Amino acid sequence: MTAGKARFWGACWLAYTALPVFAQDCHIALRGKIRDNDTREPLAFASVFVQEAGRGAVSDENGYFIVPNLCESATYTITVKHVECDHETRVVRLTENTLLEFYLHHSHVLKEVIVAEKAVAPAPAQASVSVSGSELASAQGVNLGETLKKLPGVSLLNTGATIAKPVIQGLHSNRIAIITNNVALEGQQWGAEHAPEIDPFTAERISVVKGAAGVRYGVGAMAGAIVLEPAELRREAGLGGWLSLGGFSNGLGGVASGALDWHLPGRSLTFRLQGTAKRSGTLRAPDYWLGNTAAAEFDLAAMAGWKTGRWTQHLTASRFTQQLGVLRAAHVGNLTDLRRAIESEVPLQNPDSFTYRIDRPYQSVQHHLLQYKTALRLSEKWKLSGQYSFQYNYRREYDVVRKTGSAAEKPQISFRLWSNTLEHFPIQHWEGGIGIQGIQQLNYVGRGGYIPDFQTYGGSVWALERWRRYPHPWEYEIGARFDYRRSDVSYAEGTFLPPGTSRDTSVHFSNASVTGGVIYHFAKYGRIALHSGYAWRPPHVYELFARGVHFSSATYEEGNRRMRPEKAWNSNLSLEWQAPRVSATLTLFRNAVQDFIYLNPSADSVLTVRGAFPVYRYRQDNAVLQGMDAGASWQVFPAWSVEGRASVLRAFRRVDDPASDKQRKEWLPLMPADRFQYGLKWQRARGKEQAGETYVRLLATTVLRQTRLPAEGLLKAAPDAFTVFSLEAAHTFRLRHKTENHPAGQTLEIGLNIQNMTNLRYREYLNFFRFFADEPGVNVGVRARWRF
């Protein structure tokens, strides 16, 4: 056995044997019992709803209930209802040993029956993980990718140190739907350097749904979805909100974010205004500065909600603006310098000082969103709802200019994208629904000609139903969807056309998606779920017609007009176990993709008027992606616990072998290496009536060297395995106790976060700029959040 294989099987054995003692924070269960206050008898079939999680449970015949997959150290508002009793609402700070008892008073006076606006929503049949509470707060000041990278099965695709996008089980970009406040994000996110235009501070909870989710979220969810859920608008009259401040040592960055909620007295009208501002300067690797890695961001969002009779209406408007520097060392002037830059251990163009200035190359992004949704409650179980959203995305990419004059002030590529989405749900049962959706996009490439102008039209119809009946332990889900997409492509006058390309052309695609799942609930400790789905994705215009330099990623890319739609059959088996001191999750998945589209690196380089760049070409082959995600925790002592996660992926394509007239397997490029996380956490609760735990967590991340590489096209050997350490700590002070108008009281949370504690020099395989520079060095972050 070779040394590489020995290391791999040793790591797998370590992950397997460590399963009983490793964990993730958002798989803690809320347990309790509901009794009659007078007789002390258990109350069966009482409903328990956790407002922040948007879901709940029903008590069994002995009054017991369990709500799984909640987050440790998070504050939850719990409402308990029974048809014969007064409702009770309680705010709790969840710890692993939390066991609640509710004593409901019988109602002796006949009161008005109020139908709740939001039913307890079933959890998805697919494997899913989530982050909220202090875990979310500790990473919100960076970006969406960094917020999610601790979750099993989620990794990052980077372009340098400033741009990151999430990867779910090896797939990214247009195969992942990003849903914010029930709106699918539409933007230029198909490139590695096109990070999602999302402010994580707008979310109170972020969930990652893994596996084919095309029926629920559309053709962009072939690999899954990232769902950002904002906090509910204020229900009590008065003012409230929060203010968060943070600072980072690497780049001397700072972030400020806050929200103000206002509910008008005596009216069902409520508002929220939320904003975020970030700025950071030149980042530093352990041994040198990373030139031109400064960044700036400003976001603003406003929400309003009102209710009149059976009508509920919401209006949301947001604006996201961001300017990101692109590593200057990745842009070189000739083929000789490109080879020297790749072979060098340090960047050839290296600044010797810190600055907040953003020079070329850089990108500037604006994203505007306007959303209106309304719902009419027809009965206790039927609701009619509709939604309209408008999105405008404006992206500019500025290359290095090697001449003077007016051209030095203009962007080399200018994108404008409009998206109009009209959704209407004619009939919606509380466990499912049917609906229609329409979409229209316009994209104008102002300069550069990397892709042509295009207009896209489309529509879909779908149906999704969930069967469940407590206390029956089985649940079933089935759904289907049909989508149509048409793109009209037009090249601007004077644009160089690839051979055989018409100046104006149209492409159109259509197909169906189906999904099915079954869930079995164990009596006390968890569930096992099997989900299988067929999903598809039409090739994007850039995959069909791209030809030229992609400046922000410093690559020369070529599309293929003969691309066919991707068709994937995805299956996953997931187990969730919640015992009093031990919790664990395990997901096994297999994704078989016909006509899988991928960006294939080549050994070629091209010299253009803009400089020298490595060549990447879009290819299409049948592929299989399979592996496992695992996580667990063990509370060794009342205040001490160990935790960990493991993600293993094997991704290969099937290609024809002319010598044997058979197909052979070849590894796919740009797939995550095996990743393991493990840590130790100490936490001390301060009591039931006080807000805060003090916790300290030491976490290590080990990434093995990626040895499953394509046979050709690798410009530089894959980086070595590495282990980086991080430290997190937080404490919450209660400044004011809970009142009727302030159910959560007033708190101040302070936190510390140290990344790459040992200042290790390393490179990530999924970083496009790993050829030119190391990852950032040690970074110390401090934060404070005041809730009022």
Side-chain angles (χ1 to χ4, degrees):
M1 179 181 294
T2 65
K5 289 185 177 179
R7 286 194 299 269
F8 165 71
W9 290 114
C12 288
W13 174 252
L14 176 63
Y16 175 78
T17 56
L19 268 179
V21 297
F22 291 142
Q24 57 191 65
D25 285 3
C26 286
H27 283 82
I28 291 180
L30 171 67
R31 296 180 175 84
K33 188 169 185 178
I34 304 171
R35 300 177 182 269
D36 185 288
N37 184 69
D38 299 322
T39 65
R40 302 291 169 166
E41 294 293 325
L43 289 177
F45 308 113
S47 65
V48 181
F49 183 70
V50 183
Q51 295 182 15
E52 291 77 6
R55 52 192 171 85
V58 179
S59 63
D60 62 15
E61 62 273 12
N62 296 316
Y64 287 106
F65 68 88
I66 179 171
V67 182
N69 300 330
L70 298 179
C71 298
E72 187 176 9
S73 303
T75 299
Y76 291 104
T77 305
I78 303 168
T79 301
V80 179
K81 299 180 181 180
H82 192 272
V83 292
E84 300 176 355
C85 302
D86 293 330
H87 302 164
E88 181 178 344
T89 298
R90 189 183 304 177
V91 178
V92 300
R93 190 79 168 180
L94 185 61
T95 64
E96 199 159 5
N97 292 322
T98 302
L99 181 65
L100 301 178
E101 288 196 0
F102 291 88
Y103 296 90
L104 302 187
H105 295 266
H106 260 69
S107 176
H108 301 290
V109 180
L110 183 62
K111 297 182 179 180
E112 176 187 8
V113 177
I114 301 176
V115 179
E117 183 63 28
K118 187 174 183 179
V120 176
Q126 297 103 309
S128 63
V129 289
S130 60
V131 57
S132 63
S134 59
E135 184 84 3
L136 177 61
S138 67
Q140 278 179 318
V142 189
N143 55 50
L144 180 64
E146 292 291 333
T147 303
L148 300 174
K149 73 175 185 179
K150 292 187 210 175
L151 299 177
V154 181
S155 52
L156 297 184
L157 183 68
N158 292 85
T159 304
T162 57
I163 303 170
K165 63 193 316 176
V167 179
I168 299 178
Q169 294 175 346
L171 300 177
H172 56 86
S173 301
N174 280 1
R175 299 182 182 95
I176 297 176
I178 299 178
I179 312 298
T180 173
N181 195 21
N182 203 39
V183 176
L185 178 69
E186 298 288 349
Q188 303 284 4
Q189 49 180 317
W190 36 263
E193 85 292 3
H194 295 173
E197 298 92 351
I198 288 290
D199 177 13
F201 278 103
T202 61
E204 185 179 59
R205 175 186 176 89
I206 303 179
S207 301
V208 178
V209 179
K210 296 183 282 188
V215 172
R216 191 183 301 269
Y217 300 114
V219 295
M222 195 176 78
I226 297 173
V227 183
L228 292 89
E229 305 170 37
E232 289 188 1
L233 292 174
R234 186 179 177 88
R235 294 185 176 184
E236 304 83 13
L239 288 170
W242 54 269
L243 175 65
S244 180
L245 301 175
F248 306 93
S249 64
N250 200 335
L252 298 182
V255 58
S257 185
L260 181 65
D261 287 270
W262 179 32
H263 191 294
L264 294 181
R267 300 182 182 181
S268 57
L269 182 61
T270 182
F271 302 93
R272 172 179 297 154
L273 184 65
Q274 193 265 332
T276 299
K278 302 179 186 177
R279 189 175 185 186
S280 63
T282 307
L283 299 176
R284 184 173 177 83
D287 299 327
Y288 49 81
W289 296 101
L290 298 169
N292 200 42
T293 51
E297 180 180 325
F298 180 75
D299 312 316
L300 189 64
M303 300 176 65
W306 62 97
K307 181 178 179 182
T308 54
R310 296 185 176 184
W311 287 93
T312 302
Q313 301 175 79
H314 287 86
L315 182 65
T316 302
S318 66
R319 182 176 188 264
F320 176 97
T321 59
Q322 187 180 63
Q323 193 172 13
L324 297 173
V326 177
L327 183 70
R328 181 64 177 84
H331 288 247
V332 295
N334 56 68
L335 295 176
T336 301
D337 287 345
L338 176 62
R339 176 52 57 186
R340 288 179 56 236
I342 292 175
E343 293 176 352
S344 176
E345 293 298 318
V346 298
L348 297 183
Q349 306 174 45
N350 221 17
D352 56 4
S353 62
F354 171 87
T355 180
Y356 284 104
R357 181 178 175 180
I358 301 176
D359 295 318
R360 291 174 180 257
Y362 72 92
Q363 59 179 245
S364 177
V365 183
Q366 296 180 16
H367 190 87
H368 304 260
L369 168 67
L370 179 64
Q371 176 201 24
Y372 171 75
K373 57 182 180 181
T374 183
L376 172 63
R377 176 68 66 179
L378 301 177
S379 67
E380 183 178 355
K381 292 186 177 181
W382 297 87
K383 181 173 69 174
L384 182 71
S385 62
Q387 175 176 292
Y388 172 80
S389 65
F390 169 81
Q391 298 180 61
Y392 169 67
N393 187 272
Y394 183 29
R395 171 181 291 274
R396 290 165 290 173
E397 300 183 7
Y398 294 81
D399 184 27
V400 175
V401 175
R402 296 179 173 86
K403 59 182 178 180
T404 59
S406 60
E409 304 301 325
K410 297 179 180 179
Q412 271 56 57
I413 297 181
S414 175
F415 294 122
R416 285 182 172 86
L417 171 68
W418 289 265
S419 300
N420 295 275
T421 304
L422 179 61
E423 293 183 83
H424 179 57
F425 305 84
I427 303 174
Q428 187 177 28
H429 192 268
W430 69 282
E431 288 183 321
I434 62 177
I436 60 175
Q437 182 184 48
I439 185 171
Q440 178 251 344
Q441 297 180 344
L442 293 89
N443 190 8
Y444 297 109
V445 182
R447 297 178 60 85
Y450 168 69
I451 59 174
D453 300 340
F454 69 89
Q455 299 184 49
T456 296
Y457 309 89
S460 61
V461 293
W462 59 267
L464 186 68
E465 282 296 328
R466 182 74 161 267
W467 184 92
R468 57 175 183 163
R469 194 179 98 187
Y470 191 85
H472 198 285
W474 293 92
E475 291 186 39
Y476 306 95
E477 181 178 88
I478 188 170
R481 182 184 183 110
F482 180 83
D483 289 273
Y484 173 82
R485 290 291 187 274
R486 172 192 172 101
S487 295
D488 296 330
V489 177
S490 176
Y491 285 91
E493 292 293 335
T495 302
F496 171 76
L497 299 182
T501 302
S502 302
R503 191 163 299 279
D504 299 303
T505 186
S506 296
V507 292
H508 58 88
F509 306 95
S510 61
N511 209 334
S513 304
V514 295
T515 185
V518 58
I519 302 173
Y520 179 79
H521 294 270
F522 299 105
K524 295 182 179 180
Y525 297 122
R527 71 173 196 168
I528 185 171
L530 174 64
H531 177 269
S532 188
Y534 174 83
W536 75 289
R537 182 184 73 90
H540 195 278
V541 168
Y542 74 93
E543 295 167 324
L544 295 167
F545 301 102
R547 188 179 182 89
V549 176
H550 204 160
F551 298 108
S552 293
S553 59
T555 57
Y556 185 94
E557 299 175 7
E558 294 181 358
N560 186 344
R561 294 183 58 213
R562 293 181 294 275
M563 290 284 185
R564 299 175 297 275
E566 292 179 328
K567 298 170 284 293
W569 193 270
N570 181 284
S571 300
N572 63 70
L573 176 68
S574 60
L575 172 67
E576 299 176 6
W577 188 261
Q578 298 280 348
R581 296 179 60 185
V582 177
S583 64
T585 64
L586 174 65
T587 300
L588 305 176
F589 63 90
R590 187 177 192 273
N591 195 0
V593 187
Q594 182 180 350
D595 296 322
F596 179 72
I597 301 172
Y598 59 98
L599 190 60
N600 192 50
S602 72
D604 301 332
S605 301
V606 64
L607 180 63
T608 72
V609 295
R610 303 295 180 193
F613 302 94
V615 176
Y616 288 74
R617 296 183 176 91
Y618 286 97
R619 290 189 53 175
Q620 193 166 42
D621 289 302
N622 295 337
V624 174
L625 297 90
Q626 57 191 16
M628 76 152 191
D629 302 326
S633 79
W634 179 28
Q635 187 177 1
V636 185
F637 302 106
W640 291 89
S641 61
V642 290
E643 57 177 307
R645 293 164 282 273
S647 297
V648 176
L649 172 69
R650 299 294 177 266
F652 57 87
R653 56 177 176 152
R654 302 183 188 273
V655 297
D656 295 329
D657 188 353
S660 60
D661 292 329
K662 296 180 180 180
Q663 286 191 328
R664 69 176 187 273
K665 297 179 181 179
E666 289 188 0
W667 299 116
L668 284 171
L670 300 177
M671 289 295 161
D674 297 339
R675 180 178 297 262
F676 305 91
Q677 292 179 323
Y678 37 94
L680 178 67
K681 183 177 181 180
W682 176 83
Q683 178 172 309
R684 179 176 63 87
R686 296 184 60 195
K688 296 181 179 180
E689 298 301 323
Q690 301 188 32
E693 300 79 15
T694 302
Y695 79 88
V696 180
R697 170 193 285 144
L698 178 65
L699 186 68
T701 300
T702 297
V703 179
L704 302 185
R705 183 177 185 180
Q706 180 59 282
T707 58
R708 295 165 296 280
L709 303 170
E712 59 182 14
L714 197 64
L715 297 177
K716 190 173 185 177
D720 294 332
F722 61 86
T723 298
V724 293
F725 293 89
S726 63
L727 178 72
E728 297 177 9
H731 178 72
T732 305
F733 300 91
R734 181 169 295 282
L735 305 180
R736 185 173 64 189
H737 290 286
K738 298 175 288 186
T739 64
E740 182 178 354
N741 291 333
H742 296 274
Q746 188 177 119
T747 62
L748 175 64
E749 181 180 359
I750 58 174
L752 172 70
N753 192 319
I754 307 177
Q755 299 295 323
N756 194 3
M757 291 178 57
T758 60
N759 204 28
L760 179 71
R761 184 176 178 181
Y762 70 100
R763 300 194 182 192
E764 284 268 17
Y765 172 69
L766 285 187
N767 193 330
F768 268 69
F769 287 172
R770 69 177 180 85
F771 302 115
F772 310 104
D774 296 325
E775 298 292 327
V778 61
N779 186 17
V780 180
V782 293
R783 60 182 175 87
R785 174 170 289 201
W786 173 42
R787 295 183 182 272
F788 57 92

